[in-house]
Amino acid sequence: MSEKPIGIAVLGLGNVGTEVVRIIEESAADLEARIGAPLQLRGVGVRRVAKDRGVPVDLLTEDIEQLVSRDDVDIVVELMGPVEPARKAIMAALEQGKSVVTANKALMAQSTGELAQAAEKARVDLYFEAAVAGAIPVIRPLTQSLAGDSVVRVAGIVNGTTNYILSAMNDTGASYESALADASALGYAEADPTADVEGYDAAAKAAILASIAFHTRVTADDVYREGITKVSAEDFASAKALGCNIKLLAICERLVSGKGKQRVSARVYPALVPLDHPLASVNGAFNAVVVEAEAAGRLMFYGQGAGGAPTASAVMGDVVMAARNRVQGGRGPRESKYAKLPVASIGAIPTRYYVNMNVKDQPGVLSAVAAEFSRHEVSIAEVRQEGMTDAEGEPCGARIVVVTHQATDAALSETVEALADLDVVQKINSVLRMEGATS
């Protein structure tokens, strides 16, 4: 067993950083046995040095640049976010030959190429398992376990806040606003929940997953994104009638045309999911990712996608791998971008749709609505119609729910625009996609 310790610098002492420091200290003997050398905490970078941080004050420093440049630091664990100053600190560490472990999804979705090139030049490791789904191992299975297979599709629930909100709406019939308020009160939602509820967090994770699964650099800007703020209690009632649940999905897919041309699709949006699909029953703040590969078939990864301890578990897995490589003189998987596939626009993506609209209650309405779908070559699979009443109980029109067969986003968008112009259509309430169902 090596006598020389592996020096660790931790940047950030929030929930995850605190757990990482605790594990390094309390599991020192086990970690040494697994790695072949002891881990030694050299310092913790913080915004403000104080005695009440739960770490010996002599280990705390506000000078991040000095900490990552120390000769006795071998691995830098970045847990401070956001993109800056984290990017600057990670680049400095890599350029000085330090391996890096990070949980920074926004940074990895934006700067994977730059960071991977720096790691390659310095011949060190860059690990980021915790950047996608907390404790759930997804990155390593894609880069190692499935390295000899061809991944076709990765789809998952990768944001615990939105899944908690949608689960509450499904279970209780609550409005979006009410469910968000409950999530905030319980600590599941940030004071500013925009990154979660508008899909930015999930889009960053989708970019990372697509890049790895399809050996192509995909950034967050390449990911089509819709949030959950327009999903209503009425949508959930309709979903239940159709045998579905509604989930915010991150979907990464390899598309192959009839001529064999390959493209990548990466998208995030709320979608109706059939109750017999494995993602439909993932509730609360839990995450799940389903990977489909040509030889392996369907694999599902499920667990806690956030929180200090679960995320620290994934971080420490990366730390152990990077430390082993230091001891043994090896390196982990490098960035794989050989495929260089183009990213398909959302307009070219075929899927099924749910369209909910208010219409006038008069003869010929259904035929007029159906004619617009037909004119834009969108095939209807199912139609539901129900009467509507006002506050006094008087009839005030009807509600129509249309479920389509597979159609492109472009065709469906043109159809919805045409429907909105019809005199018999009072309002398009919502348009949601359906995933996991046959066409």
Side-chain angles (χ1 to χ4, degrees):
M1 183 175 292
S2 173
E3 295 276 333
K4 182 181 178 182
I6 303 295
I8 307 293
V10 176
L11 310 183
L13 198 58
N15 290 338
V16 180
T18 298
E19 284 294 318
V20 166
V21 170
R22 181 190 64 78
I23 294 170
I24 290 174
E25 293 177 341
E26 295 183 3
S27 302
D30 285 341
L31 292 171
E32 180 176 355
R34 296 168 193 172
I35 293 167
L39 293 182
Q40 191 166 83
L41 186 63
R42 304 298 191 188
V44 180
V46 293
R47 290 192 180 94
R48 178 181 61 86
V49 172
K51 295 180 180 180
D52 58 351
R53 304 301 297 270
V55 175
V57 71
D58 60 323
L59 286 175
L60 302 179
T61 178
E62 298 172 12
D63 192 342
I64 303 298
E65 183 178 352
Q66 189 275 335
L67 176 59
V68 301
S69 66
R70 283 175 51 170
D71 292 338
D72 59 352
V73 168
D74 302 294
I75 300 172
V76 173
V77 182
E78 186 277 307
L79 303 170
M80 58 183 179
V83 172
E84 293 292 357
R87 188 198 67 82
K88 180 180 179 181
I90 290 176
M91 284 297 295
L94 293 172
E95 289 169 355
Q96 295 177 68
K98 324 290 186 183
S99 292
V100 169
V101 173
T102 179
N104 196 326
K105 64 227 173 225
L107 174 61
M108 294 309 300
Q110 176 179 305
S111 303
T112 297
E114 176 188 23
L115 300 179
Q117 286 177 350
E120 182 67 26
K121 184 176 180 179
R123 301 190 63 78
V124 294
D125 288 322
L126 173 64
Y127 284 126
F128 46 93
E129 180 68 69
V132 172
I136 305 172
V138 177
I139 302 299
R140 196 163 289 117
L142 287 172
T143 57
Q144 297 183 32
S145 303
L146 296 173
D149 206 339
S150 293
V151 175
V152 177
R153 179 181 170 97
V154 181
I157 297 165
V158 295
N159 182 273
T161 300
T162 52
N163 200 48
Y164 178 87
I165 292 170
L166 294 176
S167 296
M169 293 176 70
N170 180 69
D171 294 343
T172 68
S175 67
Y176 163 76
E177 291 79 11
S178 176
L180 173 58
D182 288 344
S184 298
L186 292 169
Y188 289 119
E190 300 287 344
D192 179 1
T194 302
D196 295 321
V197 300
E198 293 292 358
Y200 291 101
D201 175 84
K205 295 169 181 176
I208 296 170
L209 289 171
S211 298
I212 294 169
F214 307 120
H215 309 281
T216 296
R217 280 185 188 165
V218 179
T219 69
D221 291 339
D222 296 320
V223 180
Y224 176 82
R225 175 193 53 79
E226 290 181 18
I228 66 168
T229 57
K230 296 180 181 179
V231 178
S232 66
E234 181 183 294
D235 291 327
F236 274 98
S238 296
K240 287 182 178 180
L242 294 167
C244 295
N245 202 343
I246 299 177
K247 297 294 182 182
L248 182 71
L249 300 182
I251 300 172
C252 311
E253 196 169 15
R254 176 162 54 89
L255 306 172
V256 184
S257 70
K259 297 181 179 180
K261 181 181 178 181
Q262 296 188 43
R263 293 173 297 167
V264 170
S265 169
R267 53 202 196 264
V268 169
Y269 44 61
L272 276 71
V273 181
L275 294 178
D276 60 358
H277 192 280
L279 292 177
S281 59
V282 177
N283 293 318
F286 280 81
N287 284 190
V289 177
V290 175
V291 178
E292 297 178 29
E294 290 182 359
R298 176 185 282 181
L299 307 170
M300 182 171 177
F301 304 87
Y302 169 85
Q304 297 187 59
T311 305
S313 170
V315 169
M316 287 306 302
D318 282 349
V319 169
V320 169
M321 294 297 295
R324 282 177 178 167
N325 291 339
R326 286 270 171 170
V327 171
Q328 298 168 5
R331 290 179 61 199
R334 286 71 154 170
E335 181 193 24
S336 177
K337 55 179 175 45
Y338 72 89
K340 299 180 181 178
L341 300 178
V343 179
S345 68
I346 189 64
I349 306 302
T351 189
R352 300 184 68 187
Y353 291 87
Y354 149 96
V355 183
N356 181 322
M357 69 193 90
N358 292 351
V359 299
K360 295 178 180 178
D361 192 2
Q362 64 185 47
V365 171
L366 273 178
S367 60
V369 168
E372 289 302 331
F373 279 90
S374 176
R375 189 164 70 87
H376 293 90
E377 299 183 346
V378 178
S379 177
I380 295 176
E382 185 176 350
V383 178
R384 292 173 178 266
Q385 181 176 352
E386 60 183 32
M388 296 169 55
T389 58
D390 59 22
E392 285 74 38
E394 296 296 322
C396 62
R399 179 178 295 112
I400 291 178
V401 171
V402 176
V403 177
T404 76
H405 290 294
Q406 278 204 340
T408 64
D409 186 274
L412 196 281
S413 296
E414 291 174 359
T415 304
V416 171
E417 288 181 10
L419 289 170
D421 289 337
L422 290 179
D423 289 339
V424 296
V425 176
Q426 298 171 330
K427 180 184 179 183
I428 305 293
N429 297 315
S430 58
V431 178
L432 295 172
R433 294 165 181 83
M434 297 186 71
E435 294 287 348
T438 59
S439 59

